[in-house]
Amino acid sequence: MENNANLIKIRGLHFSRGERKIFDGVNMDIPRGKVTAIMGPSGTGKTTLLKLIGAQLQPDQGSLVVDGQDVHRIPKKSLYQLRQKMGMLFQSGALLTDLNVYENVAFPLREHTQLPESLIRPLVLTRLHSVGLRGARDLMTSALSGGMARRVALARALIMDPMMIMYDEPFTGQDPISMGVLVELIRTVNDALNLTSIIVSHDVPETLSIADYAYVISNGKVVAHGSPQQLWQSESEWVKQFLDGRADGPVPFHYPAADYQQDLLATAKV
Amino acid sequence: MSTYLQNLGHSVLDFFERLGRGHLFLWQLLLGLPLLLRRFSLVIQQLHSVGVLTLLITLVAGLFVGMVLGLQGYNTLVDFGAEESLGVMVALTLVRELGPVVAGLLFAGRAGSALTAEIGLMKATEQLSGLEMMAVDPFKRILAPRFLAGFIALPLLALMFSAIGVMGGYLVGVQLLGIDEGAFWSQMHAKVDFVEDVLNGVIKSVVFGLVITWIALFEGYDAMPTSEGVSRATTRTVVHASLAILGLDFVLTALMFGS
């Protein structure tokens, strides 16, 4: 019988870019109604994982089941229906630059429904109000700060009442106030709308402060997972280095290189 | 030597791979067209940006090309006492050749490069990915309307180019150099055939419109999502589209007027 407690089930996921292996047999379960964090060093494939969940990329092997449907094996029409229930917040916001804030948030409604403007307007304004930007509805996207753009993108992602939202590095490059606002919003929105949230991030304290469960991935594998408390108490040197942000440890400070002394002498000979 | 052969092999393979991707892209564009019957407003918006915004440069260029043709044509024809055939010469040159070709080159430079940059930047700023994740197919919503708009706009622009070019020839030939106005128009009217000349010119511009817009959209969609990638793609659009226009013009001219 299918375990309904997990919205997403990833089994034996393999994915490569050219020669480089990004995922080497990853297994993960994302529980319904919770905030799950996926953390790991830069370039470890966290964003790629979100694109695999959204079926924008095809894995080499393995299965990825979202709400009971294997996203890489269903027809395009079913995939597009499923995507209407999956919100995604891109790092840049991915707002349409030729539309203003109001039209950006209204965009999915205009594309997928035949609702009259008299219904679209209150729906858009309530979503904008929930992210604190009802007053910014007439601004063009170029007039928004990075944090505001992400909040507008969040309002847009919420407009179709999705079952889940994927956040791609939501805290990167934010000032402390914007960061605080986003942290608060992600948790509040998740609980108020009974969503499932996946946060991909390497901002450890902020992410773990709101996550119910977290996975740490590195070199294509899940190296640790558990509740934030379990991760903080982890005995693994690697996890300790990552969470505490130490410069040297199992992940070496130095990029692999020839012997230092020999290297210097070789330079001297030239 | 082996490195040279290896590089050559890679280049040839890359070329064919890209050609294949380009044709698959065209197929997806064509699949996106039926939706536009229901949402023609999307095409109207694009007609404004690729057509209306290219109109001024096309008209100005057309006027000058017509004036130059009038001046050069007069200088040659007057030696044979045939200056009254200037109208025919200007009109045939424009509707058969210069209208579609020069309007096509201007279209590639103005609208084609803008399309590539726009689509390339939409890719770089994840707008295309964002649309996919909102369950909106970028081919249907973004690319197909632009494709159809280019396809419609260029023949119209080429016709306007030819029309204003004829006016340029008239200004120089009749108003400036004093050719008989009646002869200018009546000879043109008698010698220019609608199907043979005007329609063939329109067919050329339809083909050019299709090829330019296809190249421009594909280059944008296939661009590396960086500022350098978009800049290279824009350059490639102008170069490839211009060469395609000139090459295809020869092929089409040979097919249409060869016999």
Side-chain angles (χ1 to χ4, degrees):
Chain A
M1 204 179 118
E2 193 177 308
N3 181 3
N4 222 13
N6 291 322
L7 181 67
I8 301 176
K9 285 197 286 186
I10 303 173
R11 292 290 175 271
L13 186 74
H14 289 259
F15 181 79
S16 309
R17 277 191 199 279
E19 297 289 297
R20 196 172 152 239
K21 256 195 174 317
I22 309 281
F23 295 119
D24 189 10
V26 165
N27 297 313
M28 265 186 204
D29 288 313
I30 310 285
R32 273 182 204 273
K34 307 279 185 199
V35 176
T36 305
I38 297 170
M39 298 188 297
S42 300
T44 198
K46 301 185 297 293
T47 304
T48 307
L49 184 65
L50 293 188
K51 291 197 166 176
L52 282 162
I53 295 174
Q56 289 191 302
L57 295 172
Q58 289 288 325
D60 301 332
Q61 268 182 58
S63 73
L64 214 155
V65 177
V66 178
D67 200 27
Q69 300 190 72
D70 188 333
V71 288
H72 298 106
R73 291 186 179 82
I74 54 175
K76 194 175 175 186
K77 202 173 173 190
S78 312
L79 175 64
Y80 269 61
Q81 279 170 354
L82 187 65
R83 277 184 185 162
Q84 287 188 31
K85 296 191 279 174
M86 300 162 81
M88 177 145 171
L89 206 78
F90 286 86
Q91 202 171 338
S92 58
L95 297 173
L96 296 167
T97 43
D98 54 341
L99 302 178
N100 66 13
V101 167
Y102 179 92
E103 287 300 326
N104 259 292
V105 179
F107 183 82
L109 288 177
R110 296 201 197 284
E111 289 296 313
H112 297 303
T113 70
Q114 304 289 324
L115 292 178
E117 190 58 33
S118 57
L119 271 178
I120 289 181
R121 189 170 182 275
L123 283 171
V124 172
L125 292 185
T126 45
R127 291 298 185 260
L128 278 174
H129 187 75
S130 65
V131 296
L133 290 175
R134 187 166 44 85
R137 74 187 104 163
D138 294 325
L139 294 181
M140 287 307 284
T141 53
S142 53
L144 301 175
S145 69
M148 285 164 84
R150 280 179 215 185
R151 280 151 68 191
V152 174
L154 178 58
R156 185 177 68 175
L158 292 172
I159 197 91
M160 292 296 286
D161 280 328
M163 60 181 178
M164 61 179 278
I165 295 203
M166 298 185 275
Y167 298 90
D168 184 10
E169 302 282 6
F171 311 122
T172 306
Q174 299 298 305
D175 64 69
I177 299 174
S178 302
M179 179 105 90
V181 169
L182 281 167
V183 169
E184 182 85 20
L185 262 178
I186 291 173
R187 187 73 241 185
T188 319
V189 159
N190 188 77
D191 296 345
L193 302 175
N194 198 22
L195 297 171
T196 301
S197 303
I198 305 171
I199 307 174
V200 148
S201 179
H202 47 218
D203 294 295
V204 175
E206 292 77 16
T207 311
L208 287 186
S209 70
I210 51 168
D212 297 306
Y213 203 80
Y215 285 90
V216 183
I217 50 177
S218 175
N219 289 328
K221 290 186 185 299
V222 174
V223 289
H225 61 99
S227 65
Q229 289 77 13
Q230 286 169 323
L231 286 185
W232 285 122
Q233 287 157 12
S234 170
E235 293 298 313
S236 155
E237 281 302 314
W238 194 97
V239 175
K240 279 184 186 166
Q241 186 193 355
F242 180 71
L243 296 188
D244 298 338
R246 289 185 215 142
D248 210 355
V251 179
F253 170 68
H254 290 289
Y255 192 82
D259 181 72
Y260 188 34
Q261 197 177 357
Q262 281 180 3
D263 220 0
L264 288 178
L265 290 171
T267 316
K269 278 179 201 161
V270 173
Chain B
M1 184 67 187
S2 70
T3 324
Y4 172 74
L5 283 176
Q6 239 177 6
N7 288 341
L8 186 71
H10 272 303
S11 308
V12 173
L13 281 178
D14 284 349
F15 172 76
F16 281 108
E17 194 193 329
R18 210 147 184 273
L19 201 63
R21 278 208 307 275
H23 281 86
L24 284 175
F25 179 85
L26 179 64
W27 175 241
Q28 283 180 288
L29 278 181
L30 295 174
L31 288 181
L33 291 180
L35 173 95
L36 299 174
L37 294 174
R38 280 189 285 126
R39 295 187 66 184
F40 203 71
S41 59
L42 294 175
V43 184
I44 304 276
Q45 283 169 14
Q46 294 310 317
L47 271 172
H48 177 261
S49 73
V50 299
V52 177
L53 297 182
T54 316
L55 187 61
L56 186 64
I57 180 179
T58 309
L59 292 180
V60 173
L63 184 69
F64 282 118
V65 167
M67 286 164 72
V68 169
L69 275 177
L71 206 56
Q72 292 282 17
Y74 179 83
N75 284 338
T76 311
L77 292 172
V78 80
D79 292 342
F80 304 99
E83 66 272 20
E84 285 176 351
S85 301
L86 184 69
V88 186
M89 194 216 88
V90 169
L92 284 183
T93 315
L94 283 166
V95 295
R96 282 184 175 190
E97 284 300 329
L98 291 184
V101 171
V102 180
L105 293 172
L106 292 170
F107 187 76
R110 163 65 186 75
S113 58
L115 281 176
T116 304
E118 185 188 15
I119 301 298
L121 282 171
M122 284 184 90
K123 186 180 178 185
T125 53
E126 296 181 308
Q127 292 181 55
L128 295 181
S129 283
L131 284 171
E132 278 182 10
M133 284 309 297
M134 283 189 280
V136 175
D137 188 346
F139 276 93
K140 290 182 179 158
R141 178 63 176 73
I142 301 291
L143 299 166
R146 284 162 174 77
F147 182 61
L148 190 60
F151 187 70
I152 297 171
L154 184 54
L156 298 175
L157 289 169
L159 280 175
M160 286 187 250
F161 181 96
S162 298
I164 198 138
V166 168
M167 292 309 296
Y170 166 82
L171 280 178
V172 171
V174 176
Q175 301 293 337
L176 202 68
L177 301 169
I179 296 173
D180 180 60
E181 186 171 358
F184 183 90
W185 291 118
S186 62
Q187 286 206 24
M188 190 191 301
H189 189 250
K191 295 274 175 59
V192 178
D193 183 71
F194 181 74
V195 176
E196 178 83 356
D197 302 313
V198 180
L199 205 61
N200 273 339
V202 171
I203 292 172
K204 275 187 180 180
S205 52
V206 167
V207 175
F208 296 161
L210 190 144
V211 172
I212 297 166
T213 324
W214 171 29
I215 291 177
L217 292 174
F218 176 67
E219 289 292 354
Y221 191 76
D222 206 50
M224 292 251 292
T226 58
S227 34
E228 195 199 353
V230 175
S231 130
R232 280 187 183 188
T234 312
T235 311
R236 270 202 306 270
T237 290
V238 177
V239 173
H240 291 182
S242 304
L243 291 177
I245 292 167
L246 297 171
L248 278 171
D249 184 49
F250 173 73
V251 175
L252 290 171
T253 307
L255 287 174
M256 290 168 176
F257 307 103
S259 59

